[in-house]
Amino acid sequence: MDFFPLGYEVMLLVTLFAGSLGFFIRGITLKRSASTGREAVFGNDTAILKLVVKHAHDGLILQDITGRIEWINPAYTRITGYTAAEIIGRRPQEFILTPENQIPAEEIAKFKFDLSQVSNGSEEVIRNQRKNGEYFWNQLTFAVVEAEQERDTKVIIICRDVTSQVEHLKQIEDAQNRLKYQAEHDDLTGLANRSKLAEHLEGVLEAAQRGQASIGFLHIDLDHFKDVNDTFGHGAGDAVLVHVANLLDRIVDRKGIVARMGGDEFVAVLDHAPDRQSIEAAADTILEQIRLPISWEEHQLHIGCSIGLVSGADTSGTVSGIINSADLALYEAKANGRDQHFWYSRTLGEKHRQNRLNLELLDKALDDEGLRIVLLPQYCLNRQTVVGFEAAVRWDHPSLGEVDPLADLTAADDVSRTARLEDIALRKGIETLSTIQASSNQPYHISVNVSPASLRLKGFAERLHGLCHEAEVSADTVYLELNERLVRADELGSMLKVIEDLSGMGFRITLDGFGGGYGSAGQLRDFKANLLKISPDLIARLNAGTMEQHLVQSIIQLAKKLDLKVMAEGVDKPELLQALQTFDCPLVQGAVIGGALRPEMIESFLRQPVLLKTG
């Protein structure tokens, strides 16, 4: 069959689509006359147009207003696999649609082009099926050849096989989706990361503001996760994190989103939490499930968690606001003993704002050297005399009066402040000791609390030795008190060398807070102490029962067997002093000896005999 019918349709067909097919028809059919300057019509137009259409890469199809095919070019056969004889008089819907897109025969029979929808140059891409069953992507470009009567109107379609382009775009889209997923999810657990969490929170908070949602926010921090890593290695730690991630994902399910904030911190967002009870119920389930042992290789791993709870109604309604609120609640959960949840409240927020203001004021006092020390007398019951003092920093707060600035500095981000405050106590304490020794000609000693914040400072031992040398104070009259609650056995590795250096320089080491229930006698193995200071909490309960008395007596006897000095701290009542005298405790510190003294009061204090308040 001839693919190229003669008549006006041919000229219209080629003329309409010459530009979109990239042909050079005008250059061939029209040639400017060099002599006349006018365009002359090239002779055999029909033959040339027939040649162009025959060899066109794109398929051409001519249909009537009801969609019946009247003519196709050879390229359409190459694309679809159907010859002109097989499809002339039929509609494309009868043979080219994929099985999932089939149209009932009665609908095909009623088909008619909607000329308002099919305009010149309009396009669509559709998945079609070749005669051999192969699928391909078909780009259709439409043009309408209008006639006086609608029934004579023709629709011309350019068909282009764009399968390779679509697949390439699909590959690009898949790659972009993978990159987007990687950018929004945690590599280890597959949970959402901070970025995805923030995006999700933005959406649910906007919905909440429109009254379409009420969100719950749970900030989860694993308890004792470091112990798992240190004991069993990072492989076990990773297994725990993946286990917790899967557990949280199951609990939250489709009710919200779970994200890993980093390390062993997770967040669960409940998109539609009707009340606080539903949020708390989710938290209780998480606590119970995380307490269950985790099987790893041949071991049973045990962890717990602390959770900060926030209801969207109790916050500023911003992403940063709700995250910060949850941080405060989580901190309170951990500070109150861990393995529990704690609610954020506006009172808690106000407390935090006040603490933040206090820290700003403290920083100013540190910069301006607006801090001082007080001295707490230490008394020897055997010699019946004051033998030394503990130096402690005090801050005259603008509204609270005299406060201990170290009392609330326990968070990791307060390490720098803690080290600066301890440096003030050491420096001013050693200077004051020098003055006391010079004026009294007595070998008094000074005690100063030192935490890991100072011990980890580079050159700490050398600086301390330099302070003593400058003040002409012997190192063996300076006691460095290490609280057993702060100096854990698993942290000694990084500080043991510094402690040994300090001992080698002659400084005395005190294990402070001994018997408080945090450490153990095993710490005496880890570094050589010179003095044990019994916890004031234990001393306060000394007369509560025989158990406490036995504990204090045991510590005193242990110290003597190890050739250590021993001191009871917090001796604030006469009956406590009497009991300690009975137990043969040689050194005491507390209100029965005297309260906190300013350095300028020491000389007068030492000139007067100390009258022990024993009843």
Side-chain angles (χ1 to χ4, degrees):
M1 177 179 177
D2 194 341
F3 283 96
F4 199 90
L6 297 178
Y8 77 93
E9 292 95 343
V10 175
M11 297 303 297
L12 286 171
L13 175 64
V14 179
T15 302
L16 280 168
F17 292 97
S20 64
L21 292 172
F23 296 156
F24 47 91
I25 295 173
R26 291 183 181 179
I28 297 175
T29 58
L30 300 174
K31 184 178 181 182
R32 183 172 297 277
S33 169
S35 58
T36 64
R38 294 186 305 171
E39 292 182 343
V41 178
F42 191 35
N44 193 359
D45 291 349
T46 301
I48 293 174
L49 293 173
K50 182 176 180 179
L51 182 65
V52 169
V53 172
K54 182 178 179 181
H55 293 286
H57 178 74
D58 293 337
L60 297 173
I61 179 173
L62 179 67
Q63 297 174 260
D64 66 16
I65 195 67
T66 66
R68 294 188 182 277
I69 298 172
E70 296 184 353
W71 167 82
I72 65 170
N73 72 338
Y76 191 78
T77 293
R78 292 194 299 271
I79 292 172
T80 66
Y82 292 97
T83 66
E86 291 175 309
I87 59 176
I88 293 296
R90 301 173 67 188
R91 297 179 177 89
Q93 297 95 319
E94 297 176 29
F95 59 86
I96 202 169
L97 297 180
T98 58
E100 62 271 18
N101 294 322
Q102 292 293 327
I103 299 174
E106 56 270 21
E107 289 189 23
I108 297 176
K110 296 177 183 178
F111 177 79
K112 181 181 178 181
F113 279 110
D114 183 350
L115 298 181
S116 66
Q117 298 295 322
V118 182
S119 58
N120 290 334
S122 63
E123 291 184 354
E124 68 175 272
V125 176
I126 186 171
R127 199 179 191 201
N128 286 160
Q129 188 174 23
R130 308 188 209 275
K131 182 180 178 181
N132 64 4
E134 181 183 13
Y135 286 11
F136 73 102
W137 289 98
N138 195 1
Q139 177 182 294
L140 307 177
T141 305
F142 298 87
V144 178
V145 183
E146 297 183 5
E148 292 183 4
Q149 300 294 326
E150 187 182 69
R151 65 175 179 272
D152 297 325
T153 296
K154 309 296 180 185
V155 177
I156 304 168
I157 303 177
I158 298 176
C159 303
R160 176 172 294 178
D161 185 349
V162 292
T163 304
S164 60
Q165 294 94 318
V166 171
E167 289 179 349
H168 179 63
L169 290 174
K170 183 68 166 55
Q171 291 172 354
I172 293 175
E173 183 181 0
D174 289 345
Q176 290 174 335
N177 289 337
R178 285 194 301 272
L179 290 173
K180 187 174 187 295
Y181 181 88
Q182 292 170 0
E184 295 179 341
H185 292 78
D186 175 56
D187 290 339
L188 176 64
T189 64
L191 295 178
N193 60 14
R194 285 177 176 268
S195 173
K196 180 66 175 177
L197 172 68
E199 178 185 336
H200 182 84
L201 268 178
E202 287 281 4
V204 294
L205 286 173
E206 288 178 7
Q209 290 170 357
R210 297 192 299 269
Q212 298 173 351
S214 177
I215 74 167
F217 192 93
L218 299 83
H219 192 174
I220 303 142
D221 183 77
L222 301 185
D223 299 333
H224 314 304
F225 177 73
K226 185 177 183 297
D227 295 340
V228 172
N229 263 339
D230 291 347
T231 304
F232 300 101
H234 290 285
D238 288 349
V240 167
L241 293 175
V242 172
H243 169 83
V244 170
N246 293 335
L247 184 152
L248 294 175
D249 204 35
R250 287 196 305 272
I251 293 173
V252 173
D253 196 21
R254 298 181 181 180
K255 298 188 291 290
I257 188 175
V258 179
R260 183 186 177 200
M261 299 291 281
D264 60 344
E265 293 186 42
F266 299 85
V267 159
V269 179
L270 304 178
D271 293 351
H272 301 280
D275 48 42
R276 289 166 65 99
Q277 287 75 17
S278 61
I279 301 172
E280 196 162 311
D284 287 336
T285 301
I286 291 170
L287 285 167
E288 293 169 4
Q289 292 293 313
I290 287 183
R291 289 189 193 112
L292 298 176
I294 303 166
S295 297
W296 180 77
E297 294 185 349
E298 299 177 356
H299 306 283
Q300 294 291 305
L301 309 179
H302 296 268
I303 59 169
C305 71
S306 302
I307 308 177
L309 303 182
V310 178
S311 171
D314 295 332
T315 69
S316 63
T318 64
V319 171
S320 60
I322 201 167
I323 291 176
N324 290 339
S325 298
D327 282 342
L328 296 181
L330 175 63
Y331 178 82
E332 291 296 322
K334 292 192 290 187
N336 283 277
R338 301 178 181 268
D339 193 34
Q340 62 181 300
H341 54 66
F342 197 94
W343 277 99
Y344 169 80
S345 66
R346 298 191 186 280
T347 301
L348 180 61
E350 181 57 36
K351 173 186 172 184
H352 170 71
R353 283 186 287 274
Q354 187 59 51
N355 287 343
R356 187 169 56 190
L357 175 61
N358 287 339
L359 289 178
E360 291 175 0
L361 293 172
L362 176 59
D363 287 339
K364 187 176 186 304
L366 282 167
D367 292 338
D368 297 342
E369 295 191 358
L371 300 168
R372 56 183 175 80
I373 64 168
V374 295
L375 300 171
L376 306 169
Q378 297 175 337
Y379 190 84
C380 178
L381 293 173
N382 296 332
R383 294 168 52 193
Q384 297 186 356
T385 185
V386 171
V387 293
F389 303 88
E390 178 181 345
V393 180
R394 290 294 181 265
W395 172 32
D396 292 321
H397 189 280
S399 59
L400 300 177
E402 182 181 277
V403 296
D404 177 3
L406 280 166
D408 297 323
L409 298 184
T410 57
D413 57 352
D414 285 328
V415 167
S416 177
R417 293 188 183 98
T418 299
R420 291 180 68 185
L421 289 168
E422 290 174 353
D423 183 72
I424 292 172
L426 285 165
R427 177 166 48 83
K428 293 189 174 183
I430 290 172
E431 290 173 356
T432 303
L433 177 63
S434 176
T435 301
I436 295 172
Q437 289 178 344
S439 62
S440 65
N441 197 29
Q442 294 294 323
Y444 293 107
H445 66 254
I446 196 80
S447 294
V448 182
N449 282 284
V450 177
S451 72
S454 294
L455 294 174
R456 291 194 180 102
L457 289 176
K458 185 178 180 181
F460 172 74
E462 291 74 13
R463 168 169 169 72
L464 187 56
H465 186 269
L467 289 175
C468 289
H469 178 75
E470 184 178 344
E472 297 183 348
V473 167
S474 174
D476 62 4
T477 60
V478 177
Y479 283 76
L480 304 176
E481 299 190 4
L482 311 180
N483 193 299
E484 69 162 13
R485 180 170 56 89
L486 299 178
V487 185
R488 293 173 47 189
D490 60 351
E491 295 176 337
L492 271 177
S494 60
M495 296 181 286
L496 192 56
K497 177 63 167 60
V498 179
I499 296 172
E500 290 175 349
D501 289 345
L502 290 166
S503 294
M505 293 176 180
F507 293 102
R508 303 304 187 187
I509 306 299
T510 299
L511 187 57
D512 191 17
F514 196 81
Y518 294 97
S520 68
Q523 288 180 324
L524 298 175
R525 275 194 326 267
D526 299 315
F527 61 94
K528 185 179 179 181
N530 303 100
L531 183 147
L532 294 186
K533 205 170 187 182
I534 305 175
S535 169
D537 294 335
L538 181 57
I539 295 299
R541 302 193 306 271
L542 184 58
N543 292 326
T546 56
M547 176 63 72
E548 287 75 9
Q549 294 177 4
H550 289 326
L551 284 174
V552 172
Q553 285 180 300
S554 296
I555 293 173
I556 294 171
Q557 291 171 6
L558 174 65
K560 290 180 178 179
K561 288 180 180 179
L562 295 176
D563 197 24
L564 300 176
K565 294 181 180 179
V566 62
M567 178 184 295
E569 183 179 9
V571 186
D572 298 334
K573 298 177 181 179
E575 58 267 28
L576 297 178
L577 181 62
Q578 291 172 353
L580 291 167
Q581 287 176 317
T582 303
F583 299 155
D584 197 21
C585 180
L587 300 169
V588 293
Q589 176 182 323
V592 294
I593 309 301
L597 303 169
R598 296 196 177 200
E600 59 270 22
M601 301 167 60
I602 294 297
E603 187 174 347
S604 173
F605 173 78
L606 291 176
R607 282 201 301 264
Q608 301 174 5
V610 176
L611 301 177
L612 297 182
K613 302 172 184 178
T614 58

